[in-house]
Amino acid sequence: MREYSPDLTPQWKRARPVPEVAAGNGLVVESAGTDFCGAVVACEAGTVTLEDRFGKRRVFPLEPRGFLLEGAVVTLVRPVRTASAPSRTASGSVAVPGARARVARAGRIYVEGRHDAELVERVWGDDLRIEGVVVEYLEGVDDLPAVIDDFAPGPDARLGVLVDHLVPGSKESRIAAAVTSPDVLVVGHPYVDVWQAVKPSALGIGAWPVVPPGQDWKTGVCRALGWPENTGAAWRHILSRVTSYRELEPPLLGAVEHLIDHVTAP
C-alpha cells in the first residue's frame, strides 16, 4: 500500500490555476517562452497553428499554461464542435450546399406573368434549379389550349400551369376545366393578382384594399395605399419584402408545391 505523501510546497510557490480558453479561429495569442504571436488558423488534436502578421505559420503543442492572452497565462483547448441545424431555402426545404443546378427537364411550369415568375423564383428558385425545372410566363391564360398543343406534353415532359384568380365561375376556371391531358396540371390561387398572395403583414398594412370594378387593380391598390401610381416600383417594393415562404399566403404555397411535384414526378 502506497503511503500518502503530502505536498509540502509552500502555497506561495504552487502554480496557480489558469483559465482554459477555446482556440477558436482568429484568437490572437503568444506562445509562452517564445516571441511568436499570431492568430489561430487551425486547431487539431494536440496542436494549434498560429499565423503572425507577416503570414508566417508555426505549430505549437496544446500544453498547459502554454500561451499568453493579452499578457495573461492561459491554457488553450480545442473548441467543442456543436451540431448545427441544417440551413433552409426560402421555400423551407433543406438546403444542399454546393449543389449544382440540374440540366433542365423537358417539363415546364408556366405562370401568367412576369410578377408571378419573379415571386416563384424568389421563394422556390433554389429548389427549382436543383430539380432542373424551368419557369416561363404566359402573359395571360386566354390562349392556354393553344400553348398546351404547341408544348405537346407527355409522361416525360409534364406541364404545370399556375393561374391567377382561379375561382368558381371565373373565365380562368372555364379555361382550366377544358384541359384534360393527364400530363398537364392546372392549379391556381383565388387572388385577383399575385400581389395579393403576399401577406399584408409583410408590407405593414392591415389588408389589401378593395378596388372597385372597372379600375385597373394594381393602379387602384397604389392609389388606395397612398403609393406613387407606378406599378413597377410598387411591385419591386412588394417583392423586396418577401424573404421566404412565411410571407406568402397558403393557397399560393400549396399550388406551387403541387406543380413542382407534378413536373418532377418519376
Side-chain angles (χ1 to χ4, degrees):
M1 180 177 179
R2 295 178 59 187
E3 294 184 0
Y4 170 71
S5 298
D7 185 356
L8 300 179
T9 305
Q11 187 70 31
W12 60 274
K13 285 189 176 181
R14 296 179 186 176
R16 295 181 180 179
V18 299
E20 292 186 346
V21 178
N25 283 357
L27 180 72
V28 178
V29 294
E30 179 183 342
S31 172
T34 74
D35 294 327
F36 195 88
C37 179
V40 174
V41 293
C43 187
E44 305 297 335
T47 65
V48 63
T49 303
L50 304 183
E51 181 180 287
D52 69 11
R53 61 193 180 95
F54 301 108
K56 182 179 179 181
R57 295 188 178 190
R58 286 183 60 181
V59 179
F60 298 93
L62 288 175
E63 295 178 341
R65 307 173 65 87
F67 299 88
L68 301 177
L69 176 61
E70 298 181 350
V73 178
V74 297
T75 296
L76 290 188
V77 295
R78 193 177 183 186
V80 176
R81 299 183 183 275
T82 57
S84 58
S87 59
R88 299 276 173 174
T89 67
S91 71
S93 302
V94 175
V96 184
R100 287 186 169 186
R102 177 174 174 167
V103 175
R105 295 173 182 266
R108 291 288 188 273
I109 290 177
Y110 283 172
V111 297
E112 283 207 55
R114 181 171 60 85
H115 293 180
D116 306 68
E118 290 175 345
L119 189 58
V120 169
E121 164 62 27
R122 172 64 61 95
V123 176
W124 288 274
D126 290 338
D127 306 58
L128 293 170
R129 278 182 284 279
I130 289 176
E131 295 291 348
V133 177
V134 175
V135 175
E136 300 180 9
Y137 57 92
L138 298 168
E139 292 293 355
V141 294
D142 291 350
D143 296 326
L144 183 58
V147 169
I148 293 173
D149 288 343
D150 289 342
F151 185 84
D156 296 323
R158 292 187 174 93
L159 180 62
V161 183
L162 178 68
V163 178
D164 296 342
H165 199 228
L166 190 61
V167 296
S170 67
K171 173 192 70 175
E172 291 80 4
S173 67
R174 291 191 294 273
I175 293 173
V179 177
T180 58
S181 170
D183 300 309
V184 180
L185 175 65
V186 181
V187 296
H189 56 74
Y191 310 111
V192 174
D193 189 275
V194 78
W195 288 21
Q196 280 187 303
V198 178
K199 291 180 178 178
S201 58
L203 301 169
I205 61 176
W208 285 100
V210 176
V211 178
Q215 291 188 24
D216 177 73
W217 188 85
K218 292 176 181 176
T219 302
V221 165
C222 293
R223 189 174 299 141
L225 293 176
W227 296 350
E229 293 181 21
N230 181 330
T231 57
W235 171 244
R236 289 192 293 274
H237 168 67
I238 295 166
L239 188 62
S240 72
R241 304 306 293 269
V242 177
T243 60
S244 76
Y245 71 95
R246 295 181 181 86
E247 284 83 44
L248 301 184
E249 298 286 3
L252 178 66
L253 295 175
V256 176
E257 296 287 350
H258 197 181
L259 289 176
I260 295 174
D261 288 345
H262 171 73
V263 174
T264 61

